């Protein structure tokens, strides 16, 4: 900037109030994105537990996964609009790929886990 340019006479710097308002808006966006991510994570965990638990509601698994996937996708869109793109992509990955795959894998995973638990209990009984 030179003195021949009259731009140095104008103050384009934000005031303290403007900077504070901008900071509060940024914090609000971050809080909304964090809250959306926490809710999406809770929904995914509860859905994975529901699918793996032997409740006798196996015919509803796909309905629940599709519903939760839609809600998580909406929460991911909220996260993207608030600037948390990485968290939104992780949520979309769970909604679109991992939850539907979990329906197929859950019975095998539960069987392997129960077998491992029985083996550990047997080993501990031998030790004690």
């Amino acid at each position: 900037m030179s003195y021949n340019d009259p731009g140095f006479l104008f103050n384009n710097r934000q005031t303290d109030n403007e900077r504070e308002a901008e900071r509060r808006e940024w914090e609000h966006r971050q809080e909304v994105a964090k809250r959306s991510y926490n809710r999406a994570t809770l929904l995914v965990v509860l859905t994975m537990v529901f699918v793996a638990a032997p409740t006798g509601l196996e015919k509803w698994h796909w309905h629940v996964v599709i519903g939760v996937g839609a809600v998580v996708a909406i929460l991911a869109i909220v996260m993207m609009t608030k600037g948390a793109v990485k968290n939104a992509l992780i949520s979309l990955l769970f909604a679109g790929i991992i939850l539907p795959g979990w329906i197929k894998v859950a019975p095998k995973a539960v069987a392997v886990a129960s077998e491992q638990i029985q083996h550990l209990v047997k080993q501990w009984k031998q030790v004690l």
Side-chain angles (χ1 to χ4, degrees):
M1 179 182 310
S2 69
Y3 290 107
N4 294 332
D5 181 20
F8 74 92
L9 296 174
F10 302 111
N11 183 8
N12 293 330
R13 186 173 178 214
Q14 289 181 332
T15 64
D16 289 340
N17 289 337
E18 291 172 337
R19 285 193 302 269
E20 181 66 23
E22 187 175 302
R23 184 188 61 78
R24 277 187 269 132
E25 176 62 29
W26 179 81
E27 286 176 352
H28 176 68
R29 284 194 330 251
Q30 294 292 349
E31 183 63 32
V32 169
K34 181 181 175 185
R35 197 174 330 126
S36 297
Y37 184 70
N38 289 341
R39 288 178 180 166
T41 302
L42 179 66
L43 282 173
V44 166
V45 168
L46 290 177
T47 304
M48 290 180 82
V49 168
F50 171 74
V51 169
T55 59
L57 301 172
E58 285 79 18
K59 63 182 178 179
W60 292 100
H61 285 177
W62 280 107
H63 300 87
V64 170
V65 166
I66 290 170
V68 168
V71 172
V72 169
I74 291 169
L75 290 171
I77 291 170
V78 169
M79 285 182 254
M80 282 185 191
T81 59
K82 300 300 179 184
V85 177
K86 292 178 184 177
N87 290 346
L89 291 175
I90 291 170
S91 297
L92 287 174
L93 174 73
F94 271 91
I97 297 172
I98 294 174
L99 279 179
W102 181 244
I103 289 178
K104 299 293 183 185
V105 175
K108 295 173 189 161
V110 169
V112 169
S114 65
E115 180 182 313
Q116 291 296 322
I117 289 171
Q118 290 173 359
H119 181 70
L120 288 172
V121 168
K122 187 172 104 179
Q123 293 294 324
W124 275 105
K125 284 183 180 178
Q126 288 178 357
V127 169
L128 298 175

